[in-house]
Amino acid sequence: MTDPDVLTRQTVDLLRDLIRNACVNDGTPDSGGEIRSVRTLEGFFAGSGLELEVVEPHPGRASLIARIRGTDPAAPSLALVGHIDVVPVDRDGWSRDPFAAELVDGEIWGRGALDMLYLTASYAVVIRDIAMGPFRPRGDLIFAAVADEESGSRFGVGWMTEHRLDLIDASFVLTESGGAPVGVRPSITTTVGEKGIAGRRLVVRGTPGHGSAPWGARNAAVIAAEAVGRLARFEAPVQITADWRHYVSVLGLPAELAERLTDPARIDDAVHELGSLAGFAHASSHTTISPNIMRAGEKENVIPSLATVDLDIRVLPGVDAAQVDGYLRHALGELMVDIEIVGDRFEAATRSPVDTPLFAALSAAVARAYPNADLLPVLSVGGSDARFYRRRGIPAYGFGLLSRRWDYGTFRMLFHGNDERIDVDSIALTVSALDFTVREVLA
Ligand SMILES: [Zn+2]
């Protein structure tokens, strides 16, 4: 293997290029422009001998797949799946240019630094290093730099799962995210599952009228506002998962607080005591409903007869579509006479088993950096491309390895947040752990 410092420097340089490409995915088909980072990666792989393929299901929405063929076609294969799109920024909230990729005091700043360009860059460096060295994996090693993860993956892994599964299929998968040290020992978080997602729109109907005489009006905006308030106050039944219980057990909390955090009857009064982890604690134990887009009215002197509210609903394992619609009807109560619930998108929660050779290799990789640490399986409250694999029964984990300066609260806050950044020490730990893991699993 190449000098670890060299691999770290290569990853830092590649990461900075990927950040500067600013592949911002705002959810519209023509955003993203992932082709820019695909070109960067093609340049990075030039002369490595790697087999490359590029797909582009929509102009600019490109993904690149690199493969090293294993020596034994029957041996298990491993895919490293990294997205190259990033979410938009609120420039006013940033202390530095989010797309300049400045390196300051050992940290690289920029949108996507943590989510998940440092991992995508690390994967690329590891596979190129193996391609150019003497090690021959038994099974295939695949690297996929994919588009559109931040908006449902319909131009990325979702599209390839339907049309080009041959490119990205594998026996085991690594993707985002993980690696934050938790507790005193510490435990290193690894995402083994994620909540499911449901999409619903409330369509609210009122009666139009003149805005100069609002008394007694059936204003769709007012009804929608009441609906949003009720959904914000609604609490779905608490569900304490085995993963949440495990997570609480490693935090090193006073026994009395740990007990309340795992008691369905008392958790709601205890989550606020977790500070920056409170939102995560709540989302880990509830199916959540977040009203995120409201639309009503077109003219300031017309009482609107129509309003819509788009909901982001994240479901815990075991919750189905009928339960989601039941929660909505229950929360909205008699308002339902003016409201229609539209949409049927539903994807159940997914989880991979942890008794796999890949999980064992990750544990060994972590132990090299943190001798007393163990790997903590976490159920992510957000989504990732891992779900496309888990649904087909393929174990997929979110992995990374961060330095001691990180805690799980900060880690979560920087995802899609202001001043996103990653430190060079974490990049060094991650590249080294990935390199070790790939060689373990494919030896
Ligand atoms: Zn991500």
Side-chain angles (χ1 to χ4, degrees):
M1 167 190 166
T2 310
D3 179 350
D5 292 342
V6 173
L7 297 184
T8 301
R9 273 201 299 280
Q10 290 173 355
T11 309
V12 168
D13 290 345
L14 180 57
L15 167 62
R16 298 179 74 186
D17 288 343
L18 296 177
I19 291 172
R20 292 185 187 118
N21 286 338
C23 299
V24 177
N25 182 354
D26 66 12
T28 60
D30 293 330
S31 68
E34 291 92 343
I35 187 72
R36 292 191 291 277
S37 285
V38 164
R39 297 291 176 238
T40 297
L41 287 163
E42 282 178 323
F44 179 75
F45 289 131
S48 66
L50 275 167
E51 256 181 66
L52 303 181
E53 183 154 351
V54 174
V55 296
E56 194 173 352
H58 181 89
R61 310 307 302 268
S63 299
L64 172 144
I65 298 88
R67 177 180 297 262
I68 299 175
R69 299 238 169 241
T71 54
D72 175 1
S77 55
L78 173 65
L80 310 173
V81 179
H83 67 79
I84 44 180
D85 60 324
V86 300
V87 294
V89 294
D90 169 10
R91 275 184 186 266
D92 292 344
W94 280 69
S95 327
R96 296 181 179 278
D97 181 341
F99 300 107
E102 289 175 74
L103 176 48
V104 185
D105 296 334
E107 293 182 320
I108 297 121
W109 287 60
R111 174 55 89 217
L114 184 62
D115 179 13
M116 67 177 280
L117 300 179
Y118 90 99
L119 282 170
T120 306
S122 300
Y123 299 157
V125 165
V126 166
I127 192 172
R128 187 179 77 161
D129 186 53
I130 289 177
M132 298 175 80
F135 173 74
R136 292 276 69 90
R138 272 190 62 218
D140 282 11
L141 176 62
I142 300 128
F143 164 61
V146 300
D148 200 31
E149 190 277 339
E150 295 291 3
S151 194
S153 308
R154 65 203 186 287
F155 301 122
V157 172
W159 185 86
M160 283 185 274
T161 299
E162 273 186 45
H163 302 279
R164 290 300 309 273
L165 188 57
D166 61 299
L167 286 179
I168 56 164
D169 206 11
S171 317
F172 298 104
V173 174
L174 288 179
T175 183
E176 64 182 343
S177 66
V182 168
V184 282
R185 199 174 166 199
S187 297
I188 305 296
T189 55
T190 300
T191 306
V192 300
E194 62 196 47
K195 290 175 79 176
I197 188 163
R200 296 290 185 273
R201 167 174 287 185
L202 306 183
V203 178
V204 184
R205 292 186 204 283
T207 308
H210 201 291
S212 61
W215 191 89
R218 281 179 62 246
N219 182 327
V222 173
I223 301 167
E226 172 66 14
V228 164
R230 289 190 189 187
L231 290 174
R233 290 188 297 275
F234 175 74
E235 292 282 6
V238 175
Q239 209 177 314
I240 303 294
T241 65
D243 288 324
W244 175 246
R245 218 173 266 288
H246 190 171
Y247 186 93
V248 170
S249 75
V250 304
L251 288 177
L253 298 171
E256 175 273 337
L257 177 57
E259 249 173 60
R260 282 190 288 135
L261 284 168
T262 50
D263 178 350
R266 292 186 291 168
I267 184 172
D268 285 345
D269 295 324
V271 287
H272 70 275
E273 293 174 48
L274 282 179
S276 63
L277 283 174
F280 175 70
H282 177 267
S284 294
S285 51
H286 298 74
T287 288
T288 56
I289 301 170
S290 188
N292 290 352
I293 303 177
M294 285 182 80
R295 293 196 178 89
E298 285 176 53
K299 199 165 181 305
E300 66 191 14
N301 63 356
V302 177
I303 291 171
S305 59
L306 179 69
T308 59
V309 183
D310 292 350
L311 308 175
D312 180 357
I313 304 168
R314 307 292 175 130
V315 303
L316 282 169
V319 172
D320 61 26
Q323 278 168 287
V324 166
D325 292 321
Y327 293 156
L328 294 177
R329 282 194 297 270
H330 180 82
L332 297 171
E334 85 288 354
L335 295 179
M336 281 300 294
V337 297
D338 295 318
I339 296 176
E340 184 188 355
I341 300 169
V342 176
D344 59 3
R345 180 183 179 198
F346 184 83
E347 298 177 36
T350 59
R351 191 181 187 283
S352 295
V354 297
D355 55 340
T356 66
L358 177 55
F359 198 85
L362 295 174
S363 301
V366 162
R368 292 167 76 236
Y370 291 102
N372 294 317
D374 60 0
L375 211 48
L376 175 68
V378 171
L379 180 79
S380 169
V381 301
S384 80
D385 279 332
R387 71 186 186 279
F388 292 97
Y389 291 93
R390 291 198 198 104
R391 251 185 235 154
R392 295 190 295 119
I394 295 164
Y397 306 124
F399 180 75
L401 193 53
L402 302 184
S403 67
R404 282 279 193 180
R405 78 167 76 176
W406 289 84
D407 61 76
Y408 199 56
T410 310
F411 175 70
R412 289 185 40 75
M413 188 184 74
L414 292 184
F415 267 76
H416 299 191
N418 295 331
D419 289 348
E420 184 178 350
R421 57 199 187 272
I422 183 82
D423 58 313
V424 176
D425 291 344
S426 293
I427 290 174
L429 288 168
T430 298
V431 174
S432 165
L434 286 170
D435 183 79
F436 172 87
T437 301
V438 167
R439 290 168 199 264
E440 277 286 293
V441 171
L442 297 180

